[in-house]
Amino acid sequence: MYLLKRQIRRLYEQLLYWDFLYYIKRTPEVSDNAYDCARDELAYLERCYPGLCICSRSGLFKKKKHILPMLSLRTTYNKEDMLLFDKRIRNRLKDKPEADVVYCCEIKLDGLAVSLLYKDGCLVRGLTRGDGIYGEDVTSNVLVIEAIPNKLLNDGSLPHILELRGVLVMSNYGPNILTRFSNYKSNYYSTPRNAASGSIRQLDPTITSKRSLSFYCYEGHSILPGTSPLSISHIANLNKIISWGVPVCEHRRTCVDIKEVFRFYDEIKRIRFMLGFSIDGIAVKLDSIEHQKKLGVSTKTPKWSIVYRFSSEEKMTKLNKIVFRVGRTGILTPIASFNPVSVSGVTIRAASLHNISFIRRLDIMANDTVIVRRSGDIIPQVVRCIPKYRTANTKQVVFPLYCPSCFSLLTKALTKDKVYLYCTSGLSCPSQLKASLKHFVSKYAMNILGLGDVIISKLVDYGLVLNSYGLYYLKAKDFMKAASIGLNLSHKLVLRISNSKRIPLSRFIYSLGILKIGRLTALSIASSYKTLNSLLLADITSLASIPNVNIKAASNICLYIRTHNNIIRSLASILDIF
Ligand SMILES: [Zn+2]
């Protein structure tokens, strides 16, 4: 009994601490899964040994019991587990015709699960999932969320009392959307689920109503008359729910075998970053309600369902130093270099920290312990730091006063709510020159093959190129001297540079590397002005009237033309721009 008491206290204190990190500090340090396990274990022990309860974990909202337990779903990242899941189900249903085993697959939204109770079609109660048995009463908040219907359409099939379950998600989840709510770090939500949770758990419902929350229903039950499913299959349930005017996520499919499930998984994985909200995998459920009943439920999860998650592995590592890299436009980007760590099978060792505001918002310090991941499974990203692992070696980030490349005094630039450091030396700053040459020769600009970063860097270091125009006067011996490459390759490079001279106007505009002028904008400008000479005479108003060119881009072009007139005219004199 003593051990049990100690275990309950340990779980209780651990959860209190994690709640504090999650809800107050917005810096969760454990996975949702680890949190859910601890919470469910505590709830189980408290139910079995009510005499040992410390006290109910009090919150801002009243706890209410769910009519039917809101079980969590089993999750996996492994294909093998999915094959086993399928095998187990087919074994259990071997007395049924093979063709009857059908799965319904839906996307698994990364948000906050809620239960909504409707009486005669009117929304009367909203609970968060909580521990699955008790949830927090957030009725006053769900009533003001536009995406949740307060009244259902009644086609005559509506149960007297109906429970709908669904997920609240922050639409178009992105750092901009989240930070827009407040400039204070304490109000920054680090994950989509955190954002939805923070939005619904507002004491003032008007704040909730202003958040762009979407709601997608994933199941429903008739509570009265009698607790029962709505129809004979999961997909039919969803269609019924849609007919009552409730949003259900459109990305779902019935699959006749596990191969089709894998195909759906792959398709969703490909488009997941274009969906406008965050998802973390697909939920696979047996479609037939009769089959679901036959499979039954284990202590925590239904046996007929599983979530096949996309890997978005996060790893902890040690941040060693932050260096500042000067880009093409003079903006300094802080780069965090950390101890190499393998994330989803790829070793990463550095990540961009974007700007001063980002470092301040995440409260990152030199020598911090940080959590890293690969954003979109590709780009290394520092997610947060863990202040409790700080030592005497951890130091505030020192922002440079002078450009690390040309040593000129830096200026601070403020765009929207972000603060950048900025070197104003232009092409006389070696780093800016290298970056702008790299852009100039790139595939969608002048497309000069073989002129890579290393060669460009050496040419600049030797003082052989001062601007893009200078590239056209390089001789084979220059390449041999600066980049230590052979005569043949040097001749080839000279020839390739020379061959790049005939170029469409749009590519030439893009190659100049003007801030905010991408390929599409360059194309719009070229098709409006037709010739370089007429573009050189353009003013901001006429430029801004072109499709895809906003006032900022238009003023950048005018400024560039004014400050780089000589280079543009020199290039025009040797290029064949059409
Ligand atoms: Zn500089």
Side-chain angles (χ1 to χ4, degrees):
M1 200 54 89
Y2 169 73
L3 283 177
L4 267 173
K5 201 170 179 178
R6 208 168 67 172
Q7 172 70 349
I8 287 174
R9 174 157 291 281
R10 192 186 63 76
L11 285 167
Y12 174 80
E13 286 173 355
Q14 181 67 77
L15 285 163
L16 267 187
Y17 176 64
W18 285 344
D19 278 349
F20 169 73
L21 293 179
Y22 190 85
Y23 293 115
I24 311 296
K25 297 277 285 181
R26 319 273 190 224
T27 54
E29 107 182 358
V30 288
S31 66
D32 292 346
N33 207 14
Y35 180 91
D36 291 349
C37 285
R39 184 201 52 206
D40 292 350
E41 189 185 346
L42 178 64
Y44 174 75
L45 290 172
E46 284 179 340
R47 269 200 309 281
C48 296
Y49 306 96
L52 297 182
C53 267
I54 296 167
C55 68
S56 174
R57 294 194 303 124
S58 61
L60 299 168
F61 297 88
K62 233 182 182 165
K63 295 269 166 68
K64 291 215 173 131
K65 194 171 182 182
H66 289 290
I67 295 167
L68 296 169
M70 273 184 97
L71 299 171
S72 44
L73 299 184
R74 215 187 117 202
T75 64
T76 182
Y77 291 98
N78 295 324
K79 203 169 188 174
E80 288 73 15
D81 282 353
M82 292 302 294
L83 290 167
L84 264 175
F85 167 75
D86 179 54
K87 196 175 164 190
R88 238 187 334 257
I89 282 184
R90 286 180 193 279
N91 268 342
R92 191 82 176 81
L93 298 173
K94 58 176 177 261
D95 55 332
K96 310 276 179 197
E98 183 81 5
D100 280 2
V101 180
V102 173
Y103 295 112
C104 178
C105 299
E106 302 153 67
I107 59 176
K108 168 80 173 56
L109 293 148
D110 188 9
L112 185 79
V114 288
S115 149
L116 305 171
L117 206 64
Y118 287 87
K119 192 174 175 187
D120 296 321
C122 291
L123 179 59
V124 291
R125 190 179 87 168
L127 293 185
T128 62
R129 180 184 176 275
D131 64 5
I133 307 295
Y134 288 91
E136 288 177 307
D137 189 336
V138 287
T139 308
S140 51
N141 289 355
V142 294
L143 281 167
V144 297
I145 295 172
E146 219 178 305
I148 294 179
N150 288 353
K151 193 153 177 42
L152 303 181
L153 306 171
N154 193 353
D155 55 359
S157 66
L158 207 57
H160 174 42
I161 295 186
L162 167 76
E163 190 207 5
L164 295 180
R165 289 172 178 183
V167 182
L168 271 173
V169 288
M170 185 70 86
S171 346
N172 296 313
Y173 168 74
N176 294 339
I177 299 269
L178 298 181
T179 48
R180 197 178 62 196
F181 299 137
S182 167
N183 289 327
Y184 299 108
K185 195 188 77 197
S186 60
N187 276 354
Y188 176 74
Y189 300 113
S190 57
T191 66
R193 178 168 154 179
N194 205 343
S197 168
S199 301
I200 190 82
R201 298 171 87 261
Q202 294 288 333
L203 288 176
D204 178 1
T206 53
I207 297 177
T208 306
S209 69
K210 285 178 190 150
R211 303 281 166 96
S212 54
L213 291 166
S214 299
F215 172 77
Y216 295 101
C217 181
Y218 61 78
E219 71 180 27
H221 307 273
S222 161
I223 305 295
L224 268 175
T227 304
S228 63
L230 301 171
S231 77
I232 56 161
S233 80
H234 180 68
I235 201 96
N237 282 355
L238 293 180
N239 288 335
K240 222 168 202 186
I241 290 166
I242 293 169
S243 74
W244 296 329
V246 181
V248 170
C249 192
E250 59 176 314
H251 299 280
R252 59 182 182 279
R253 186 178 300 165
T254 42
C255 299
V256 294
D257 58 32
I258 197 74
K259 278 185 194 157
E260 276 195 23
V261 171
F262 290 149
R263 266 199 293 279
F264 181 72
Y265 175 87
D266 290 338
E267 278 173 38
I268 296 295
K269 192 173 181 180
R270 262 198 305 279
I271 60 163
R272 70 171 157 148
F273 297 109
M274 292 174 257
L275 293 173
F277 39 68
S278 177
I279 64 169
D280 49 16
I282 61 165
V284 183
K285 298 168 183 171
L286 257 183
D287 192 41
S288 155
I289 303 294
E290 187 203 338
H291 291 178
Q292 289 182 5
K293 281 185 181 158
K294 181 151 188 179
L295 263 293
V297 173
S298 70
T299 43
K300 285 183 194 157
T301 55
K303 290 180 183 170
W304 42 266
S305 172
I306 193 164
V307 172
Y308 190 13
R309 276 188 196 247
F310 303 130
S311 59
S312 178
E313 206 181 359
E314 292 187 351
K315 285 278 177 73
M316 196 160 74
T317 184
K318 183 81 185 295
L319 190 154
N320 296 321
K321 60 176 179 180
I322 296 171
V323 293
F324 288 81
R325 198 167 59 198
V326 189
R328 193 180 79 222
T329 54
I331 287 171
L332 268 74
T333 308
I335 309 286
S337 87
F338 38 80
N339 287 348
V341 61
S342 170
V343 181
S344 310
V346 172
T347 301
I348 57 173
R349 57 194 79 232
S352 168
L353 296 175
H354 311 293
N355 50 58
I356 295 181
S357 313
F358 184 85
I359 294 176
R360 287 190 180 142
R361 198 173 65 220
L362 264 61
D363 190 25
I364 291 174
M365 294 172 80
N367 295 319
D368 247 338
T369 300
V370 290
I371 302 289
V372 294
R373 70 171 170 214
R374 287 166 62 212
S375 170
D377 283 343
I378 300 168
I379 303 160
Q381 184 185 34
V382 175
V383 185
R384 60 184 174 272
C385 62
I386 305 181
K388 80 169 177 186
Y389 294 135
R390 281 180 180 158
T391 62
N393 276 337
T394 319
K395 298 204 164 60
Q396 288 287 345
V397 178
V398 180
F399 297 109
L401 289 174
Y402 299 95
C403 172
S405 180
C406 68
F407 311 108
S408 65
L409 194 63
L410 295 171
T411 52
K412 266 187 189 170
L414 187 77
T415 55
K416 288 185 189 155
D417 54 346
K418 298 185 187 81
V419 181
Y420 293 92
L421 286 173
Y422 189 68
C423 166
T424 53
S425 300
L427 292 181
S428 55
C429 172
S431 288
Q432 287 186 58
L433 175 58
K434 286 174 190 174
S436 72
L437 289 174
K438 200 175 128 189
H439 176 79
F440 184 78
V441 304
S442 64
K443 188 176 173 188
Y444 297 107
M446 304 305 281
N447 192 23
I448 303 172
L449 270 175
L451 213 49
D453 297 4
V454 177
I455 297 179
I456 286 177
S457 183
K458 288 190 170 164
L459 289 169
V460 170
D461 291 343
Y462 268 79
L464 292 166
V465 189
L466 299 176
N467 50 46
S468 47
Y469 176 62
L471 286 175
Y472 292 91
Y473 288 89
L474 287 171
K475 304 219 161 26
K477 65 175 173 34
D478 296 329
F479 287 103
M480 292 165 72
K481 179 181 156 196
S484 316
I485 50 176
L487 183 66
N488 273 352
L489 183 55
S490 298
H491 275 302
K492 259 187 201 162
L493 286 174
V494 173
L495 190 66
R496 282 178 192 159
I497 292 172
S498 176
N499 285 346
S500 73
K501 283 182 179 171
R502 188 167 157 72
I503 187 93
L505 178 60
S506 61
R507 288 175 75 123
F508 176 73
I509 296 169
Y510 174 70
S511 76
L512 297 173
I514 306 168
L515 191 63
K516 303 266 179 212
I517 309 299
R519 279 152 58 198
L520 188 65
T521 318
L523 203 62
S524 292
I525 296 168
S527 46
S528 287
Y529 286 92
K530 307 281 192 281
T531 66
L532 180 63
N533 277 337
S534 52
L535 173 62
L536 293 180
L537 298 171
D539 58 28
I540 293 185
T541 325
S542 62
L543 272 163
S545 65
I546 300 171
N548 302 315
V549 183
N550 60 27
I551 191 80
K552 185 81 196 141
S555 88
N556 286 345
I557 296 167
C558 288
L559 181 70
Y560 189 92
I561 290 174
R562 222 174 31 245
T563 51
H564 295 76
N565 207 286
N566 283 346
I567 294 178
I568 298 174
R569 289 193 185 279
S570 305
L571 280 169
S573 69
I574 52 163
L575 299 180
D576 177 11
I577 302 169
F578 61 97

